[in-house]
Amino acid sequence: MKIEVLPEQKGYVTLLMQRGESLKASLIEEVFSTSNWFNRLREYFPEREMKSKEHFEILFQEQAMYQLMEGPDYIVVYFEQQDYIFIDYILVSGTNRGKGVGSIVLNELKSKGKAIILEVEPICMDDPDSEKRVRFYERHNFEKMDIGYERIHNVTSELNKMDIYCWSQSPVSEKWVLDRMKEIYTEVHAYKVKEIYGRNPQPVSEVLWLKGSIEKLAQ
């Protein structure tokens, strides 16, 4: 796991790494709890979109490419693979929105040269920020995929419908994005769900499909 932390924490982490000491689970938890990243996410995102703290910690400890990038005015939680990056959560503090912070963060991820996939809440009249989020990603050349995505929350049992957006330097097909989203669902959203929440995860075929495809019509 890679940890990018607040400036005041970097000296501590760097010193440990210079000593050759490993960042074990207890230390990872200490660094994260110091930064208050979980509470900041929970205050902004609706419960139906949040993972439990235990789920986050297991992902950080066991999925090496599930990572946290954090600064005083932003938080990004993402899952990085060889050919893509999935942004699980991105948050820019309210007072810093509209100042280019989100663009800087996205450009930093784009500089890795990989496709970027993310889930975006559809525009909703009850949530003025929903349209702002969609327009923000469109300005950064993210394209909405014709992919259906409906997931039942592991705690609230609410049905959460999201749109899938993708940015890539070279063209990718919707089938390519769908295949990566299936991997993301299995390795991130549904990872150890039975152990953490005491319920079986939904089959991936119920969660993701190409709209209008035979796969969906058969369900």
Side-chain angles (χ1 to χ4, degrees):
M1 173 188 173
K2 183 177 76 175
I3 305 175
E4 298 186 45
V5 296
L6 294 170
E8 58 266 27
Q9 297 169 321
K10 286 185 176 179
Y12 177 50
V13 174
T14 301
L15 177 61
L16 288 171
M17 295 180 74
Q18 287 174 345
R19 290 176 180 172
E21 298 180 30
S22 62
L23 292 174
K24 296 182 180 179
S26 59
L27 179 56
I28 291 172
E29 184 176 357
E30 179 182 344
V31 172
F32 287 146
S33 63
T34 302
S35 71
N36 201 32
W37 61 274
F38 178 73
N39 288 335
R40 290 170 67 188
L41 290 179
R42 188 169 57 179
E43 288 171 2
Y44 179 76
F45 288 96
E47 187 175 5
R48 67 179 181 274
E49 295 180 17
M50 281 294 293
K51 295 174 175 62
S52 69
K53 190 170 185 180
E54 180 185 4
H55 195 169
F56 276 115
E57 290 174 346
I58 287 176
L59 286 169
F60 285 132
Q61 292 167 14
E62 299 183 10
Q63 297 286 56
M65 301 312 293
Y66 194 74
Q67 304 174 22
L68 171 71
M69 181 167 65
E70 181 180 12
D73 46 12
Y74 69 88
I75 298 172
V76 184
V77 181
Y78 64 100
F79 179 63
E80 183 173 1
Q81 295 292 69
Q82 184 175 356
D83 56 352
Y84 71 88
I85 294 170
F86 167 67
I87 299 178
D88 201 2
Y89 298 89
I90 180 169
L91 171 64
V92 175
S93 301
T95 56
N96 292 291
R97 290 175 198 155
K99 297 181 180 179
V101 175
S103 297
I104 292 171
V105 171
L106 278 185
N107 288 335
E108 176 68 21
L109 294 175
K110 285 181 177 181
S111 69
K112 295 174 179 282
K114 303 178 182 182
I116 300 176
I117 302 170
L118 44 79
E119 303 162 1
V120 182
E121 190 174 14
I123 294 176
C124 174
M125 298 302 295
D126 295 333
D127 180 7
D129 284 347
S130 63
E131 183 172 3
K132 294 178 183 178
R133 286 191 290 267
V134 170
R135 302 297 174 240
F136 171 75
Y137 293 121
E138 289 177 342
R139 287 198 304 273
H140 286 274
N141 299 315
F142 280 78
E143 294 185 15
K144 181 180 175 181
M145 300 288 102
D146 200 22
I147 295 174
Y149 180 52
E150 298 181 358
R151 182 158 57 94
I152 296 174
H153 192 266
N154 292 311
V155 176
T156 68
S157 296
E158 290 181 83
L159 182 63
N160 197 24
K161 299 182 180 182
M162 303 286 274
D163 292 327
I164 306 300
Y165 282 75
C166 180
W167 172 89
S168 180
Q169 290 179 326
S170 55
V172 295
S173 68
E174 289 179 327
K175 178 64 166 57
W176 184 92
V177 176
L178 177 66
D179 289 342
R180 272 68 188 169
M181 276 301 304
K182 288 180 177 179
E183 179 179 44
I184 290 161
Y185 175 73
T186 301
E187 298 299 322
V188 176
H189 298 321
Y191 187 73
K192 292 196 172 180
V193 159
K194 178 68 173 178
E195 175 184 325
I196 299 167
Y197 302 101
R199 63 188 298 171
N200 292 319
Q202 293 171 266
V204 68
S205 60
E206 292 183 4
V207 176
L208 289 153
W209 66 90
L210 287 176
K211 292 182 178 179
S213 67
I214 295 176
E215 177 183 358
K216 174 58 177 175
L217 294 175
Q219 293 182 23

